[in-house]
Amino acid sequence: MISIDTFRKLALSFPEATEEPHFEKTSFRVKKKIFATFDEANNRACIKLSEIDQHVFASADKTIIYPVDNKWGKQGWTLIELQRIGKELFKDALTTAYCEVAPKKLAEQIRPNESEQ
């Protein structure tokens, strides 16, 4: 299970990440772009992934990580059930979301070899 404290600590550990309100949720942003939100009422995260990454993470367990069920899901927005996900899988998914949204120079600080692939 991932608590909001763990979520916040991981999200804010990325370069230039900020926490801001987003309607009834808490959002985590880089350069004003949202890479993750926390829905306290449902104990769920929503993260921004590429279509490929969304498919890869959802293949781990579609009851824990799955696309938002509308046009946002087709754009890579992905829900995560925080009470059921392990910390390592969550950390990997959140890192991937940050790198998806962050400017290349900031993403390279997290995953330096990705631009060489």
Side-chain angles (χ1 to χ4, degrees):
M1 179 178 156
I2 302 298
S3 69
I4 181 56
D5 293 332
T6 300
F7 190 155
R8 180 177 286 119
K9 184 177 177 181
L10 286 170
L12 295 176
S13 72
F14 300 123
E16 298 187 35
T18 61
E19 179 179 342
E20 298 175 37
H22 181 68
F23 300 101
E24 71 282 356
K25 298 177 175 74
T26 301
S27 72
F28 297 93
R29 304 171 188 232
V30 59
K31 299 288 187 183
K32 299 184 181 180
K33 291 179 151 185
I34 295 173
F35 65 91
T37 62
F38 173 67
D39 177 354
E40 186 174 10
N42 295 301
N43 197 31
R44 196 168 26 202
C46 185
I47 63 173
K48 174 71 166 118
L49 298 173
S50 70
E51 206 174 334
I52 292 168
D53 287 332
Q54 182 185 64
H55 178 74
V56 169
F57 280 104
S59 69
D61 186 334
K62 288 180 175 46
T63 65
I64 296 174
I65 302 177
Y66 50 94
V68 171
D69 189 26
N70 59 30
K71 68 178 182 175
W72 295 102
K74 292 179 181 8
Q75 295 174 16
W77 290 101
T78 307
L79 295 171
I80 300 174
E81 299 296 334
L82 295 174
Q83 73 276 9
R84 299 187 56 220
I85 193 166
K87 186 174 180 181
E88 288 306 311
L89 183 57
F90 179 74
K91 184 177 178 182
D92 191 24
L94 189 63
T95 301
T96 302
Y98 173 84
C99 291
E100 176 69 20
V101 172
K104 186 176 179 181
K105 288 194 182 286
L106 292 178
E108 286 174 344
Q109 291 178 36
I110 304 300
R111 294 190 170 156
N113 297 327
E114 222 167 74
S115 62
E116 298 170 9
Q117 296 177 355

